[in-house]
Amino acid sequence: MTAYYDELLTLCAFDQAEIEDQRGRIESTFTKLGLGPADMERAVSRVEKSFDMELLGVRKALGVWLKELFDVVLARDEGKKLIYFGYPPFQYIGLVIKAATESKGDFYIGCPEVVLCQTLGQIFNKLNPVLEEGEAKGLAPGHAMCSLLQIKNGALEKGFLPIPDMSIATSYFCDMGPEADELMQYKYGYPVQYIDSCLDSRWGEWPAFDPEKVHYLGSQVNDLFKSLKDLFGLEINEEVWNNARFLAGRLYLATNQLNEHLIADPVPLGVADSELIINFPMGCTGIAMEEGAEAVEILAREVGERVEKGIGVVPKHSPRVAIAFQSLIDPVFNQMIGEVGLAVPVVAVLLPPPPTPKSDSYETLTLGEKRAEKAMYSGAYHSSYGLIKRMEESLKFAEVDGMIYNYQFSCRPLACNSKLLKLHIEKERGLPTLLLDMDFYDDRNYSAAALRTRLEAFSEMLKARKTAA
Amino acid sequence: MTSDTLLLAGIDVGAATAKAVVLNANKILSSHVLPTGESVTKAAESVMKKTLDTIHLSLEEMDYVIATGYGRRAVTFADEVITEISCHAKGVNMLMPQARTVVDIGGQDSKVIEIDAKGNIANFAMNDKCAAGTGRFLEVMAKVLNADIQEIGLLSLEGRNPCQISNTCTVFAESEMVALRADGKSREDILAGIHSAMAHRVAIMGNAIGFRDQVVFTGGVARNAGMKKALQDRIGKEVLVPENPQIVGALGAAIIARDKRHAAMSSS
């Protein structure tokens, strides 16, 4: 027996036995999301056009996202407890909670709006109705609300996502996420745990920080631990936190292998394809940790073979650029970067996380404070300067000729640092930096054709420089 | 064949007009401008044909054709496509070698481009999110004020008390026009305000990369004397306009075509 979704799932590296075994779950999910035969047909053609389907690793990565989709959409029906965390997650908090759930029953822990971006957006191109619902039900357009939050709000309203038992707000990075969480708490009554912090720091301060910040952020993290214990009986301690690292260990190892191949010339993998794996550790804690890691391992191997044969997705000696950040929903845009002749030799500018030092007082800190201190050193939750310095470090690794910074529409945390980054990278490293007005979660907010002109011109400029040099 | 006998064509299909240039060495043999109209592909064919007919040449005789502009990818007969940003940089460099900043205001977008002594791009900023700061903005305002688009620049220079225009969003500015007219403001004063507001937008965008001397203004809107003056007033520098600012992109495309053929011939 075959069904209307078999072709898509087979393309996404499901084997037939798996499809047979999962038919009930697959059909329940697609029915809930209103995805029918016509959507599957469109998805097949979109996926074939947008991704490097010759690579099994790419096909498997797409399949992992679909499995993550089934898992979150059906989590409540399958009797799981649900904990959602915001994006970007704080210090891989989802994995830590996951590590604590062993023998505590069945949990879904993840960032479901990211899962929806990578599936309803990337694969099906059907996010607009969700965004519109989110706008209509409290997060109106023009109110400086990030589209990722509109997706979460819209998906809860439409019943695409189950109501969680707890949500962890992104107050350590962004003030809009927590505001949106407050609205959703009002509407759905689920508890929200805020991890407040303060991104205000002086330019040039990082990696130094005010110890009071660690104390404050740490106490918020400890509050979260207390809530997890009160609500779910979950115990978070040093051992659990260390175990969390092992959950993602295989994934990080494989990502490192892939990164090592990507720095080859010609660059062997396109942006649409490498984007597929960036958010495994950022949005997921479940199947992506094993099957996602397997997909990345396969991809690293396949890409390694390309490097040996000298095969690239752009010609040798093409200008090399690093990108912050890729679109989570629009493979057509991601693919355009290669189409205009730009090579991207690094999966993501902030992946994987760097080893961080420890302060003299580290051993005297509470567990929450220790994590807070790590967050300070890791830069992204310290300040614009911290984030920019981290990005600068990845540029060294990738040996690039320029940088592209996609500015997220309606994002307050990224509003100033796009300009700061351009000034800093151009002055300190002499690398031309292109700023693009993008939206990683909502393609209604930009015109791909207009972005193409900028990208092409940037590519022409870098090529002329390389020729002159 | 020597490189001096090469015949090169540049074609720039913009949102409002299509332009073509035929070049031999450093000499423009012919050029034309036509409205883009409904079909980008047809406009490209028509303007190319007209440009070639004037000098009794055919497309087959062109050694290399480069297309640029918003419709560049729809020009079926081009050998290659290059963005209008690179083309304006090269075109200005040939006409005015001292230029280091190009302000290009077209029908659909506006750009400020920093160039080096060879006409290569050093940096650029581009407004493409909305009509504010583009020729389209002026077109809509001219229509609301019942004025000819060709005349609004000169009319604006006659404004003695330029109106303060707070909106550079085309849609909101349109209703602001209606309110100003209801207030009895003169067309000249309103137009002076519009030009000043638009120059302000372009200046803000360009300030991100700076306006290094000399500043050259290209694109269809550069034919508007009022906008030239408004830009000069806003950035506090002399702004130069080439004789035929509309064809600079097409000229740049032809120059790049020439340089590419030269490079190919000297390496073979």
Side-chain angles (χ1 to χ4, degrees):
Chain A
M1 186 189 94
T2 59
Y4 63 95
Y5 47 79
D6 281 24
E7 189 185 356
L8 177 70
L9 296 191
T10 308
L11 256 181
C12 297
F14 281 67
D15 63 45
Q16 199 56 37
E18 218 172 1
I19 296 176
E20 297 305 337
D21 185 51
Q22 298 282 316
R23 281 211 191 277
R25 300 184 78 226
I26 296 165
E27 279 166 23
S28 296
T29 305
F30 288 157
T31 307
K32 267 184 202 269
L33 299 177
L35 295 171
D39 297 305
M40 295 302 144
E41 250 175 64
R42 273 195 298 272
V44 165
S45 112
R46 179 171 165 96
V47 162
E48 282 179 335
K49 241 186 273 171
S50 309
F51 298 100
D52 205 334
M53 301 302 272
E54 276 178 20
L55 298 170
L56 179 62
V58 165
R59 293 172 51 210
K60 273 199 176 290
L62 287 163
V64 169
W65 281 115
L66 287 171
K67 288 175 189 176
E68 284 282 348
L69 179 71
F70 304 152
D71 283 353
V72 62
V73 169
L74 302 176
R76 183 65 72 199
D77 301 344
E78 295 177 343
K80 290 179 186 160
K81 296 194 184 78
L82 286 95
I83 301 174
Y84 292 166
F85 54 82
Y87 187 83
F90 175 79
Q91 288 283 296
Y92 303 95
I93 194 72
L95 286 171
V96 175
I97 302 170
K98 180 76 177 179
T101 59
E102 262 186 36
S103 77
K104 294 282 179 187
D106 226 356
F107 280 81
Y108 171 84
I109 299 149
C111 180
E113 54 271 36
V114 164
V115 177
L116 291 177
C117 282
Q118 303 276 178
T119 50
L120 274 190
Q122 290 259 33
I123 298 175
F124 294 100
N125 195 15
K126 276 202 87 171
L127 262 182
N128 284 357
V130 181
L131 283 155
E132 283 159 11
E133 185 79 359
E135 289 175 347
K137 302 288 170 61
L139 301 180
H143 286 200
M145 276 293 171
C146 163
S147 31
L148 192 62
L149 306 169
Q150 292 171 334
I151 292 170
K152 184 177 174 186
N153 190 38
L156 285 168
E157 281 285 350
K158 278 178 150 320
F160 286 4
L161 291 176
I163 311 293
D165 297 291
M166 181 199 246
S167 178
I168 300 166
T170 55
S171 358
Y172 44 84
F173 184 63
C174 151
D175 56 345
M176 295 139 81
E179 281 195 40
D181 271 305
E182 193 179 359
L183 170 83
M184 289 179 246
Q185 182 183 21
Y186 169 79
K187 290 197 292 185
Y188 306 112
Y190 59 74
V192 176
Q193 186 68 40
Y194 295 88
I195 308 181
D196 272 349
S197 184
C198 171
L199 279 166
D200 304 342
S201 288
R202 288 170 198 87
W203 179 258
E205 191 176 355
W206 186 83
F209 50 84
D210 182 346
E212 201 54 38
K213 280 173 109 176
V214 164
H215 180 65
Y216 179 57
L217 175 55
S219 73
Q220 297 276 314
V221 177
N222 287 330
D223 277 355
L224 167 67
F225 296 163
K226 188 172 178 305
S227 297
L228 289 166
K229 180 147 178 81
D230 293 347
L231 286 169
F232 309 106
L234 299 177
E235 190 81 50
I236 312 272
N237 52 35
E238 294 264 6
E239 194 194 338
V240 166
W241 206 297
N242 285 333
N243 288 342
R245 286 203 317 210
F246 296 121
L247 284 179
R250 188 178 164 197
L251 187 59
Y252 279 129
L253 210 63
T255 305
N256 279 341
Q257 287 166 359
L258 184 61
N259 264 331
E260 277 166 27
H261 293 313
L262 283 197
I263 56 178
D265 186 20
V267 169
L269 190 68
V271 176
D273 305 297
S274 60
E275 192 284 331
L276 287 173
I277 67 162
I278 296 172
N279 286 302
F280 284 160
M282 305 283 275
C284 316
T285 65
I287 203 144
M289 294 306 113
E290 282 304 317
E291 284 196 35
E294 191 198 341
V296 183
E297 283 164 3
I298 294 171
L299 189 57
R301 200 163 56 237
E302 291 176 316
V303 163
E305 285 164 16
R306 282 186 174 183
V307 173
E308 273 176 27
K309 292 178 191 155
I311 298 171
V313 290
V314 286
K316 206 172 159 77
H317 306 310
S318 293
R320 296 155 72 89
V321 296
I323 298 175
F325 302 90
Q326 292 84 339
S327 170
L328 275 72
I329 55 146
D330 186 359
V332 177
F333 168 79
N334 289 336
Q335 214 183 25
M336 205 188 279
I337 312 217
E339 282 169 8
V340 305
L342 294 170
V344 180
V346 59
V347 173
V349 285
L350 295 177
L351 201 78
T356 48
K358 286 176 181 165
S359 71
D360 291 342
S361 53
Y362 184 81
E363 293 308 328
T364 66
L365 300 176
T366 63
L367 181 57
E369 288 169 330
K370 285 178 178 170
R371 307 325 297 179
E373 186 184 290
K374 272 199 163 309
M376 287 300 131
Y377 280 128
S378 75
Y381 303 142
H382 177 286
S383 57
S384 293
Y385 181 75
L387 183 70
I388 288 166
K389 290 301 278 184
R390 278 286 314 284
M391 290 184 181
E392 197 183 347
E393 279 168 25
S394 17
L395 297 188
K396 289 178 200 165
F397 170 73
E399 290 177 32
V400 293
D401 305 303
M403 176 152 190
I404 298 172
Y405 190 105
N406 291 322
Y407 161 61
Q408 167 62 20
F409 187 77
S410 272
C411 175
R412 275 208 291 272
L414 298 185
C416 284
N417 70 25
S418 55
K419 181 69 188 161
L420 281 169
L421 176 112
K422 180 173 166 72
L423 290 170
H424 179 77
I425 297 291
E426 287 185 346
K427 188 169 153 224
E428 298 300 322
R429 304 199 55 84
L431 292 174
T433 302
L434 175 72
L435 302 182
L436 289 180
D437 297 323
M438 258 294 284
D439 193 314
F440 327 138
Y441 320 113
D442 184 357
D443 63 10
R444 300 171 307 165
N445 286 331
Y446 58 88
S447 140
L451 293 179
R452 186 175 193 113
T453 296
R454 291 184 185 205
L455 282 167
E456 272 184 36
F458 191 60
S459 174
E460 287 163 9
M461 178 176 112
L462 295 180
K463 279 178 191 160
R465 280 181 182 225
K466 270 180 101 85
T467 312
Chain B
M1 186 197 292
T2 71
S3 60
D4 291 345
T5 60
L6 289 176
L7 290 168
L8 298 315
I11 176 149
D12 175 3
V13 190
T17 54
K19 289 79 65 174
V21 165
V22 173
L23 185 78
N24 165 243
N26 277 328
K27 195 165 172 257
I28 298 174
L29 301 182
S30 170
S31 71
H32 267 286
V33 180
L34 287 179
T36 300
E38 286 171 19
S39 162
V40 171
T41 309
K42 270 191 201 144
E45 282 165 6
S46 311
V47 77
M48 191 74 253
K49 185 170 185 310
K50 204 161 175 199
T51 309
L52 289 165
D53 284 353
T54 316
I55 46 175
H56 309 292
L57 287 172
S58 68
L59 193 58
E60 290 69 39
E61 290 170 273
M62 295 298 107
D63 291 294
Y64 211 62
V65 181
I66 287 187
T68 186
Y70 139 87
R72 62 190 176 280
R73 285 147 63 83
V75 181
T76 49
F77 55 85
D79 295 303
E80 196 176 331
V81 293
I82 302 275
T83 64
E84 56 273 32
I85 300 179
S86 293
C87 291
H88 276 267
K90 282 287 181 196
V92 165
N93 179 254
M94 179 174 130
L95 299 171
M96 296 167 165
Q98 299 305 314
R100 292 297 174 270
T101 308
V102 182
V103 179
D104 166 38
I105 307 185
Q108 183 172 266
D109 55 34
S110 50
K111 306 162 188 100
V112 178
I113 311 159
E114 184 190 349
I115 62 174
D116 65 16
K118 289 181 178 165
N120 292 317
I121 309 168
N123 206 343
F124 66 93
M126 180 172 169
N127 159 36
D128 57 17
K129 266 264 179 266
C130 71
T134 71
R136 184 77 191 133
F137 177 75
L138 287 178
E139 270 177 29
V140 172
M141 296 311 128
K143 204 169 162 200
V144 176
L145 296 171
N146 203 17
D148 185 340
I149 186 74
Q150 310 294 340
E151 292 169 2
I152 56 168
L154 291 173
L155 282 172
S156 79
L157 294 173
E158 288 167 24
R160 293 291 158 259
N161 299 296
C163 295
Q164 193 76 36
I165 309 287
S166 49
N167 274 306
T168 40
C169 162
T170 311
V171 178
F172 293 152
E174 202 174 330
S175 43
E176 206 175 348
M177 293 307 97
V178 176
L180 287 168
R181 296 206 76 181
D183 261 2
K185 303 286 184 202
S186 78
R187 222 160 51 148
E188 289 77 7
D189 285 347
I190 297 176
L191 281 167
I194 286 171
H195 283 69
S196 167
M198 189 164 141
H200 187 54
R201 289 262 18 120
V202 175
I204 290 174
M205 180 178 74
N207 278 336
I209 57 169
F211 288 92
R212 282 177 64 205
D213 285 326
Q214 293 171 328
V215 180
V216 174
F217 184 14
T218 64
V221 178
R223 291 162 66 214
N224 175 323
M227 189 52 68
K228 179 189 165 190
K229 163 127 190 340
L231 263 179
Q232 286 186 158
D233 292 349
R234 276 292 169 188
I235 64 176
K237 277 189 176 176
E238 190 188 5
V239 171
L240 306 169
V241 177
E243 196 182 328
N244 192 350
Q246 259 183 309
I247 64 155
V248 174
L251 171 63
I255 294 168
I256 296 171
R258 181 196 66 194
D259 294 349
K260 290 209 168 209
R261 290 292 293 146
H262 279 190
M265 288 167 82
S266 59
S267 71
S268 64

